Amino acid sequence: MKQIVRKLKPLSILPVLLLLWTIFSFSAQTGTESGGLSQTVSRWLAEGWNLVSGKHLSPGALEALAQSMEFWVRKGAHMSEYALLCWCAALPMLVYQVPDRFRRLGAPLFCALVAASDEFHQSFVPGRTPAVRDVGIDLLGALLALGLLELGLALWKQRRRRAENS
């Protein structure tokens, strides 16, 4: 069994590669394509809110709500992508038992480098402009995810120690 697990260790990098491909695919969308996607998500959320709240907003009010959500949808997508990337980057480090301090520094540093290169990539895409603010938002998502990961690992280790001592 240990031999099989050892052979599967290199596969722990696959989620990182898949997510990098996904992030750069989204960045390759033109401004019109990217805006259309976030507008679709914003409208879907506004319609969902309309149903759940029971307010029965007019079509104009529904569109205004969707437009007011769009900024948060876009930035939330940035944070979510980089939160997932941070977890995916930490996975091989956990699998290969890289010391904690290197994971805590390496995963967000990797995410920051990807975010910066992603913004640079967007400077070549029609209708897109790079934004330093987006790199910060991406890094914030990565750091929040890392904090949750570290909290989860600490709780898991504490629970294991308690089980061993009982």
PDB file of all heavy atoms in Angstrom, residues 78-104:
ATOM      1  N   HIS A  78     -12.180  36.512  -8.106  1.00  0.00           N
ATOM      2  CA  HIS A  78     -10.722  36.608  -7.934  1.00  0.00           C
ATOM      3  C   HIS A  78     -10.295  35.926  -6.631  1.00  0.00           C
ATOM      4  O   HIS A  78      -9.386  35.098  -6.615  1.00  0.00           O
ATOM      5  CB  HIS A  78     -10.284  38.084  -7.872  1.00  0.00           C
ATOM      6  CG  HIS A  78      -9.973  38.686  -9.190  1.00  0.00           C
ATOM      7  ND1 HIS A  78      -8.716  38.653  -9.733  1.00  0.00           N
ATOM      8  CD2 HIS A  78     -10.738  39.365 -10.067  1.00  0.00           C
ATOM      9  CE1 HIS A  78      -8.728  39.284 -10.887  1.00  0.00           C
ATOM     10  NE2 HIS A  78      -9.949  39.728 -11.125  1.00  0.00           N
ATOM     11  N   MET A  79     -10.954  36.301  -5.544  1.00  0.00           N
ATOM     12  CA  MET A  79     -10.574  35.743  -4.239  1.00  0.00           C
ATOM     13  C   MET A  79     -10.766  34.236  -4.198  1.00  0.00           C
ATOM     14  O   MET A  79      -9.922  33.515  -3.670  1.00  0.00           O
ATOM     15  CB  MET A  79     -11.383  36.407  -3.123  1.00  0.00           C
ATOM     16  CG  MET A  79     -10.955  37.832  -2.844  1.00  0.00           C
ATOM     17  SD  MET A  79     -11.863  38.575  -1.483  1.00  0.00           S
ATOM     18  CE  MET A  79     -11.103  37.760  -0.098  1.00  0.00           C
ATOM     19  N   SER A  80     -11.857  33.766  -4.765  1.00  0.00           N
ATOM     20  CA  SER A  80     -12.141  32.329  -4.757  1.00  0.00           C
ATOM     21  C   SER A  80     -11.123  31.544  -5.571  1.00  0.00           C
ATOM     22  O   SER A  80     -10.657  30.483  -5.136  1.00  0.00           O
ATOM     23  CB  SER A  80     -13.538  32.064  -5.317  1.00  0.00           C
ATOM     24  OG  SER A  80     -14.500  32.722  -4.548  1.00  0.00           O
ATOM     25  N   GLU A  81     -10.780  32.055  -6.751  1.00  0.00           N
ATOM     26  CA  GLU A  81      -9.785  31.374  -7.591  1.00  0.00           C
ATOM     27  C   GLU A  81      -8.457  31.222  -6.852  1.00  0.00           C
ATOM     28  O   GLU A  81      -7.846  30.153  -6.865  1.00  0.00           O
ATOM     29  CB  GLU A  81      -9.503  32.170  -8.863  1.00  0.00           C
ATOM     30  CG  GLU A  81     -10.541  32.126  -9.914  1.00  0.00           C
ATOM     31  CD  GLU A  81     -10.207  33.058 -11.082  1.00  0.00           C
ATOM     32  OE1 GLU A  81      -9.450  34.041 -10.912  1.00  0.00           O
ATOM     33  OE2 GLU A  81     -10.717  32.779 -12.176  1.00  0.00           O
ATOM     34  N   TYR A  82      -8.041  32.284  -6.207  1.00  0.00           N
ATOM     35  CA  TYR A  82      -6.736  32.257  -5.553  1.00  0.00           C
ATOM     36  C   TYR A  82      -6.776  31.566  -4.202  1.00  0.00           C
ATOM     37  O   TYR A  82      -5.752  31.054  -3.738  1.00  0.00           O
ATOM     38  CB  TYR A  82      -6.127  33.667  -5.507  1.00  0.00           C
ATOM     39  CG  TYR A  82      -5.581  33.995  -6.873  1.00  0.00           C
ATOM     40  CD1 TYR A  82      -6.400  34.537  -7.856  1.00  0.00           C
ATOM     41  CD2 TYR A  82      -4.280  33.674  -7.209  1.00  0.00           C
ATOM     42  CE1 TYR A  82      -5.923  34.787  -9.131  1.00  0.00           C
ATOM     43  CE2 TYR A  82      -3.797  33.924  -8.483  1.00  0.00           C
ATOM     44  CZ  TYR A  82      -4.620  34.470  -9.439  1.00  0.00           C
ATOM     45  OH  TYR A  82      -4.142  34.694 -10.717  1.00  0.00           O
ATOM     46  N   ALA A  83      -7.931  31.492  -3.573  1.00  0.00           N
ATOM     47  CA  ALA A  83      -8.076  30.663  -2.372  1.00  0.00           C
ATOM     48  C   ALA A  83      -7.883  29.194  -2.761  1.00  0.00           C
ATOM     49  O   ALA A  83      -7.129  28.460  -2.121  1.00  0.00           O
ATOM     50  CB  ALA A  83      -9.449  30.884  -1.735  1.00  0.00           C
ATOM     51  N   LEU A  84      -8.553  28.788  -3.843  1.00  0.00           N
ATOM     52  CA  LEU A  84      -8.385  27.410  -4.331  1.00  0.00           C
ATOM     53  C   LEU A  84      -6.948  27.146  -4.763  1.00  0.00           C
ATOM     54  O   LEU A  84      -6.391  26.079  -4.480  1.00  0.00           O
ATOM     55  CB  LEU A  84      -9.334  27.139  -5.501  1.00  0.00           C
ATOM     56  CG  LEU A  84     -10.789  26.938  -5.162  1.00  0.00           C
ATOM     57  CD1 LEU A  84     -11.638  26.870  -6.430  1.00  0.00           C
ATOM     58  CD2 LEU A  84     -10.976  25.673  -4.346  1.00  0.00           C
ATOM     59  N   LEU A  85      -6.338  28.120  -5.432  1.00  0.00           N
ATOM     60  CA  LEU A  85      -4.958  27.948  -5.873  1.00  0.00           C
ATOM     61  C   LEU A  85      -4.031  27.770  -4.677  1.00  0.00           C
ATOM     62  O   LEU A  85      -3.124  26.930  -4.708  1.00  0.00           O
ATOM     63  CB  LEU A  85      -4.504  29.135  -6.727  1.00  0.00           C
ATOM     64  CG  LEU A  85      -3.080  29.029  -7.284  1.00  0.00           C
ATOM     65  CD1 LEU A  85      -2.942  27.827  -8.220  1.00  0.00           C
ATOM     66  CD2 LEU A  85      -2.703  30.317  -8.004  1.00  0.00           C
ATOM     67  N   CYS A  86      -4.252  28.516  -3.628  1.00  0.00           N
ATOM     68  CA  CYS A  86      -3.418  28.391  -2.432  1.00  0.00           C
ATOM     69  C   CYS A  86      -3.548  26.995  -1.826  1.00  0.00           C
ATOM     70  O   CYS A  86      -2.554  26.367  -1.460  1.00  0.00           O
ATOM     71  CB  CYS A  86      -3.790  29.466  -1.414  1.00  0.00           C
ATOM     72  SG  CYS A  86      -2.654  29.550  -0.021  1.00  0.00           S
ATOM     73  N   TRP A  87      -4.784  26.506  -1.728  1.00  0.00           N
ATOM     74  CA  TRP A  87      -4.978  25.149  -1.205  1.00  0.00           C
ATOM     75  C   TRP A  87      -4.314  24.116  -2.113  1.00  0.00           C
ATOM     76  O   TRP A  87      -3.682  23.175  -1.645  1.00  0.00           O
ATOM     77  CB  TRP A  87      -6.458  24.834  -1.058  1.00  0.00           C
ATOM     78  CG  TRP A  87      -7.099  25.483   0.128  1.00  0.00           C
ATOM     79  CD1 TRP A  87      -6.496  25.895   1.277  1.00  0.00           C
ATOM     80  CD2 TRP A  87      -8.482  25.795   0.280  1.00  0.00           C
ATOM     81  NE1 TRP A  87      -7.417  26.448   2.127  1.00  0.00           N
ATOM     82  CE2 TRP A  87      -8.647  26.396   1.545  1.00  0.00           C
ATOM     83  CE3 TRP A  87      -9.588  25.622  -0.538  1.00  0.00           C
ATOM     84  CZ2 TRP A  87      -9.878  26.823   2.023  1.00  0.00           C
ATOM     85  CZ3 TRP A  87     -10.816  26.048  -0.054  1.00  0.00           C
ATOM     86  CH2 TRP A  87     -10.963  26.641   1.206  1.00  0.00           C
ATOM     87  N   CYS A  88      -4.474  24.296  -3.415  1.00  0.00           N
ATOM     88  CA  CYS A  88      -3.862  23.355  -4.365  1.00  0.00           C
ATOM     89  C   CYS A  88      -2.337  23.421  -4.312  1.00  0.00           C
ATOM     90  O   CYS A  88      -1.665  22.402  -4.471  1.00  0.00           O
ATOM     91  CB  CYS A  88      -4.359  23.624  -5.780  1.00  0.00           C
ATOM     92  SG  CYS A  88      -6.096  23.201  -6.031  1.00  0.00           S
ATOM     93  N   ALA A  89      -1.786  24.607  -4.096  1.00  0.00           N
ATOM     94  CA  ALA A  89      -0.331  24.756  -3.996  1.00  0.00           C
ATOM     95  C   ALA A  89       0.181  24.147  -2.694  1.00  0.00           C
ATOM     96  O   ALA A  89       1.304  23.616  -2.642  1.00  0.00           O
ATOM     97  CB  ALA A  89       0.059  26.231  -4.079  1.00  0.00           C
ATOM     98  N   ALA A  90      -0.623  24.213  -1.655  1.00  0.00           N
ATOM     99  CA  ALA A  90      -0.216  23.644  -0.364  1.00  0.00           C
ATOM    100  C   ALA A  90      -0.290  22.115  -0.375  1.00  0.00           C
ATOM    101  O   ALA A  90       0.451  21.457   0.366  1.00  0.00           O
ATOM    102  CB  ALA A  90      -1.091  24.200   0.754  1.00  0.00           C
ATOM    103  N   LEU A  91      -1.144  21.551  -1.211  1.00  0.00           N
ATOM    104  CA  LEU A  91      -1.330  20.091  -1.235  1.00  0.00           C
ATOM    105  C   LEU A  91      -0.034  19.318  -1.479  1.00  0.00           C
ATOM    106  O   LEU A  91       0.316  18.446  -0.684  1.00  0.00           O
ATOM    107  CB  LEU A  91      -2.404  19.705  -2.255  1.00  0.00           C
ATOM    108  CG  LEU A  91      -2.655  18.202  -2.415  1.00  0.00           C
ATOM    109  CD1 LEU A  91      -3.199  17.607  -1.121  1.00  0.00           C
ATOM    110  CD2 LEU A  91      -3.612  17.949  -3.572  1.00  0.00           C
ATOM    111  N   PRO A  92       0.721  19.618  -2.543  1.00  0.00           N
ATOM    112  CA  PRO A  92       1.966  18.863  -2.727  1.00  0.00           C
ATOM    113  C   PRO A  92       2.955  19.088  -1.576  1.00  0.00           C
ATOM    114  O   PRO A  92       3.704  18.185  -1.219  1.00  0.00           O
ATOM    115  CB  PRO A  92       2.548  19.406  -4.036  1.00  0.00           C
ATOM    116  CG  PRO A  92       1.477  20.175  -4.688  1.00  0.00           C
ATOM    117  CD  PRO A  92       0.482  20.540  -3.650  1.00  0.00           C
ATOM    118  N   MET A  93       2.917  20.268  -0.995  1.00  0.00           N
ATOM    119  CA  MET A  93       3.806  20.530   0.137  1.00  0.00           C
ATOM    120  C   MET A  93       3.428  19.671   1.339  1.00  0.00           C
ATOM    121  O   MET A  93       4.300  19.215   2.080  1.00  0.00           O
ATOM    122  CB  MET A  93       3.774  22.013   0.499  1.00  0.00           C
ATOM    123  CG  MET A  93       4.342  22.913  -0.567  1.00  0.00           C
ATOM    124  SD  MET A  93       4.306  24.624   0.002  1.00  0.00           S
ATOM    125  CE  MET A  93       4.150  25.479  -1.551  1.00  0.00           C
ATOM    126  N   LEU A  94       2.138  19.457   1.529  1.00  0.00           N
ATOM    127  CA  LEU A  94       1.681  18.571   2.596  1.00  0.00           C
ATOM    128  C   LEU A  94       2.019  17.116   2.278  1.00  0.00           C
ATOM    129  O   LEU A  94       2.492  16.371   3.135  1.00  0.00           O
ATOM    130  CB  LEU A  94       0.170  18.731   2.811  1.00  0.00           C
ATOM    131  CG  LEU A  94      -0.274  20.031   3.450  1.00  0.00           C
ATOM    132  CD1 LEU A  94      -1.782  20.203   3.311  1.00  0.00           C
ATOM    133  CD2 LEU A  94       0.134  20.079   4.914  1.00  0.00           C
ATOM    134  N   VAL A  95       1.783  16.733   1.034  1.00  0.00           N
ATOM    135  CA  VAL A  95       2.047  15.350   0.618  1.00  0.00           C
ATOM    136  C   VAL A  95       3.527  14.995   0.777  1.00  0.00           C
ATOM    137  O   VAL A  95       3.877  13.911   1.233  1.00  0.00           O
ATOM    138  CB  VAL A  95       1.580  15.132  -0.847  1.00  0.00           C
ATOM    139  CG1 VAL A  95       2.101  13.832  -1.415  1.00  0.00           C
ATOM    140  CG2 VAL A  95       0.069  15.173  -0.928  1.00  0.00           C
ATOM    141  N   TYR A  96       4.394  15.929   0.410  1.00  0.00           N
ATOM    142  CA  TYR A  96       5.834  15.689   0.499  1.00  0.00           C
ATOM    143  C   TYR A  96       6.419  16.121   1.848  1.00  0.00           C
ATOM    144  O   TYR A  96       7.629  16.125   2.025  1.00  0.00           O
ATOM    145  CB  TYR A  96       6.570  16.395  -0.650  1.00  0.00           C
ATOM    146  CG  TYR A  96       6.425  15.659  -1.951  1.00  0.00           C
ATOM    147  CD1 TYR A  96       5.460  16.050  -2.879  1.00  0.00           C
ATOM    148  CD2 TYR A  96       7.215  14.557  -2.250  1.00  0.00           C
ATOM    149  CE1 TYR A  96       5.310  15.364  -4.078  1.00  0.00           C
ATOM    150  CE2 TYR A  96       7.072  13.868  -3.441  1.00  0.00           C
ATOM    151  CZ  TYR A  96       6.122  14.272  -4.348  1.00  0.00           C
ATOM    152  OH  TYR A  96       5.969  13.594  -5.539  1.00  0.00           O
ATOM    153  N   GLN A  97       5.554  16.473   2.789  1.00  0.00           N
ATOM    154  CA  GLN A  97       5.923  16.846   4.155  1.00  0.00           C
ATOM    155  C   GLN A  97       6.978  17.958   4.197  1.00  0.00           C
ATOM    156  O   GLN A  97       7.959  17.881   4.938  1.00  0.00           O
ATOM    157  CB  GLN A  97       6.371  15.609   4.945  1.00  0.00           C
ATOM    158  CG  GLN A  97       5.262  14.598   5.062  1.00  0.00           C
ATOM    159  CD  GLN A  97       5.678  13.322   5.762  1.00  0.00           C
ATOM    160  OE1 GLN A  97       6.847  12.985   5.851  1.00  0.00           O
ATOM    161  NE2 GLN A  97       4.692  12.596   6.250  1.00  0.00           N
ATOM    162  N   VAL A  98       6.759  18.972   3.383  1.00  0.00           N
ATOM    163  CA  VAL A  98       7.596  20.165   3.405  1.00  0.00           C
ATOM    164  C   VAL A  98       7.369  20.840   4.755  1.00  0.00           C
ATOM    165  O   VAL A  98       6.239  20.887   5.231  1.00  0.00           O
ATOM    166  CB  VAL A  98       7.211  21.096   2.232  1.00  0.00           C
ATOM    167  CG1 VAL A  98       7.889  22.441   2.343  1.00  0.00           C
ATOM    168  CG2 VAL A  98       7.530  20.433   0.909  1.00  0.00           C
ATOM    169  N   PRO A  99       8.422  21.359   5.391  1.00  0.00           N
ATOM    170  CA  PRO A  99       8.233  22.021   6.688  1.00  0.00           C
ATOM    171  C   PRO A  99       7.182  23.126   6.624  1.00  0.00           C
ATOM    172  O   PRO A  99       7.047  23.841   5.627  1.00  0.00           O
ATOM    173  CB  PRO A  99       9.620  22.608   6.998  1.00  0.00           C
ATOM    174  CG  PRO A  99      10.572  21.730   6.242  1.00  0.00           C
ATOM    175  CD  PRO A  99       9.836  21.315   4.994  1.00  0.00           C
ATOM    176  N   ASP A 100       6.444  23.252   7.718  1.00  0.00           N
ATOM    177  CA  ASP A 100       5.323  24.203   7.789  1.00  0.00           C
ATOM    178  C   ASP A 100       5.714  25.613   7.373  1.00  0.00           C
ATOM    179  O   ASP A 100       4.976  26.278   6.656  1.00  0.00           O
ATOM    180  CB  ASP A 100       4.750  24.237   9.210  1.00  0.00           C
ATOM    181  CG  ASP A 100       4.057  22.951   9.606  1.00  0.00           C
ATOM    182  OD1 ASP A 100       3.837  22.091   8.724  1.00  0.00           O
ATOM    183  OD2 ASP A 100       3.725  22.803  10.800  1.00  0.00           O
ATOM    184  N   ARG A 101       6.853  26.104   7.832  1.00  0.00           N
ATOM    185  CA  ARG A 101       7.236  27.495   7.540  1.00  0.00           C
ATOM    186  C   ARG A 101       7.404  27.727   6.039  1.00  0.00           C
ATOM    187  O   ARG A 101       7.100  28.801   5.541  1.00  0.00           O
ATOM    188  CB  ARG A 101       8.481  27.901   8.312  1.00  0.00           C
ATOM    189  CG  ARG A 101       9.727  27.156   7.937  1.00  0.00           C
ATOM    190  CD  ARG A 101      10.905  27.589   8.819  1.00  0.00           C
ATOM    191  NE  ARG A 101      12.082  26.833   8.501  1.00  0.00           N
ATOM    192  CZ  ARG A 101      12.390  25.638   8.989  1.00  0.00           C
ATOM    193  NH1 ARG A 101      11.554  25.042   9.841  1.00  0.00           N
ATOM    194  NH2 ARG A 101      13.497  25.034   8.644  1.00  0.00           N
ATOM    195  N   PHE A 102       7.860  26.708   5.309  1.00  0.00           N
ATOM    196  CA  PHE A 102       8.008  26.852   3.859  1.00  0.00           C
ATOM    197  C   PHE A 102       6.653  26.837   3.165  1.00  0.00           C
ATOM    198  O   PHE A 102       6.440  27.549   2.195  1.00  0.00           O
ATOM    199  CB  PHE A 102       8.920  25.766   3.280  1.00  0.00           C
ATOM    200  CG  PHE A 102      10.343  25.903   3.709  1.00  0.00           C
ATOM    201  CD1 PHE A 102      10.954  24.904   4.450  1.00  0.00           C
ATOM    202  CD2 PHE A 102      11.081  27.032   3.391  1.00  0.00           C
ATOM    203  CE1 PHE A 102      12.271  25.021   4.860  1.00  0.00           C
ATOM    204  CE2 PHE A 102      12.392  27.165   3.793  1.00  0.00           C
ATOM    205  CZ  PHE A 102      12.994  26.167   4.535  1.00  0.00           C
ATOM    206  N   ARG A 103       5.731  26.031   3.668  1.00  0.00           N
ATOM    207  CA  ARG A 103       4.377  26.008   3.104  1.00  0.00           C
ATOM    208  C   ARG A 103       3.682  27.337   3.367  1.00  0.00           C
ATOM    209  O   ARG A 103       3.060  27.896   2.474  1.00  0.00           O
ATOM    210  CB  ARG A 103       3.564  24.866   3.720  1.00  0.00           C
ATOM    211  CG  ARG A 103       2.145  24.780   3.167  1.00  0.00           C
ATOM    212  CD  ARG A 103       1.282  23.745   3.857  1.00  0.00           C
ATOM    213  NE  ARG A 103       1.039  24.074   5.251  1.00  0.00           N
ATOM    214  CZ  ARG A 103       1.509  23.381   6.289  1.00  0.00           C
ATOM    215  NH1 ARG A 103       2.238  22.311   6.104  1.00  0.00           N
ATOM    216  NH2 ARG A 103       1.244  23.753   7.525  1.00  0.00           N
ATOM    217  N   ARG A 104       3.830  27.850   4.593  1.00  0.00           N
ATOM    218  CA  ARG A 104       3.171  29.107   4.969  1.00  0.00           C
ATOM    219  C   ARG A 104       3.696  30.289   4.171  1.00  0.00           C
ATOM    220  O   ARG A 104       2.984  31.251   3.948  1.00  0.00           O
ATOM    221  CB  ARG A 104       3.347  29.356   6.459  1.00  0.00           C
ATOM    222  CG  ARG A 104       2.552  28.388   7.289  1.00  0.00           C
ATOM    223  CD  ARG A 104       2.786  28.586   8.761  1.00  0.00           C
ATOM    224  NE  ARG A 104       2.123  27.529   9.511  1.00  0.00           N
ATOM    225  CZ  ARG A 104       2.633  26.953  10.591  1.00  0.00           C
ATOM    226  NH1 ARG A 104       3.799  27.342  11.067  1.00  0.00           N
ATOM    227  NH2 ARG A 104       1.973  26.007  11.196  1.00  0.00           N
TER     228      ARG A 104
END
